[in-house]
Amino acid sequence: MKKISLVLVLALMLFSFAACSSNEAAAPAPAPAEEPAPAEEPAPAEEPAPAEEPAPAEEPAPAEEPAPAEEPAPADGAATLTGTAKGFGGDVTVTLTVNGDDITAVEAVGADETPGMGSLAIEQLPALIIEADSAEVEAVSGATITSNAIIEAVNAALATK
């Protein structure tokens, strides 16, 4: 009697597992229908990443000598310096005001940089450069090429001093 009960319990378990595995196979079928909707939402978030991927092709371009230029010094002893470097969307020009060895003002202009990405570096880095009193600042995440162009332009401008 025990043997028969054991065989029946085993058979019942086998059918239960078979039924569960067939339900699992049927359950994932609706999941792929639901997955494209979330896959479409991250796609716009991933679109900027490919925009940054061509960066290595453009990074060698900044290896060219930036075009620094020195402007006339203001009367108070401060000097205004300008440097230009190649950013992601084109040239990035930085105008510095220095008083001795102190960087007192920084203005970065890159009209063709990507709005919302490169523009963040143009907005944020000048204050960081003034605070650090140096071009040795970290790049803005997501705007590495523009950040590096700003830093390179600052260094080029300081080299004319």
Side-chain angles (χ1 to χ4, degrees):
M1 186 70 172
K2 288 183 182 180
K3 289 182 183 180
I4 295 174
S5 299
L6 180 62
V7 170
L8 288 175
V9 169
L10 288 175
L12 182 60
M13 288 176 59
L14 286 174
F15 288 119
S16 297
F17 288 130
C20 288
S21 65
S22 66
N23 284 343
E24 289 175 5
E34 295 173 1
E35 285 182 20
E40 290 174 13
E41 291 174 17
E46 292 179 16
E47 285 180 23
E52 289 290 328
E53 286 180 21
E58 289 187 27
E59 280 192 55
E64 299 172 10
E65 286 297 314
E70 187 170 346
E71 295 181 10
D76 63 355
T80 303
L81 310 170
T82 303
T84 302
K86 182 81 172 158
F88 185 76
D91 285 341
V92 175
T93 302
V94 175
T95 304
L96 302 174
T97 303
V98 294
N99 192 353
D101 288 336
D102 295 328
I103 299 173
T104 57
V106 178
E107 179 187 355
V109 177
D112 295 327
E113 296 305 299
T114 307
M117 296 192 80
S119 63
L120 291 177
I122 290 172
E123 293 168 6
Q124 295 175 8
L125 277 184
L128 295 174
I129 292 168
I130 293 169
E131 182 180 327
D133 197 27
S134 168
E136 294 181 21
V137 294
E138 289 190 25
V140 174
S141 179
T144 306
I145 296 171
T146 304
S147 296
N148 289 341
I150 292 169
I151 293 167
E152 191 173 326
V154 168
N155 286 328
L158 291 172
T160 65
K161 182 178 153 191

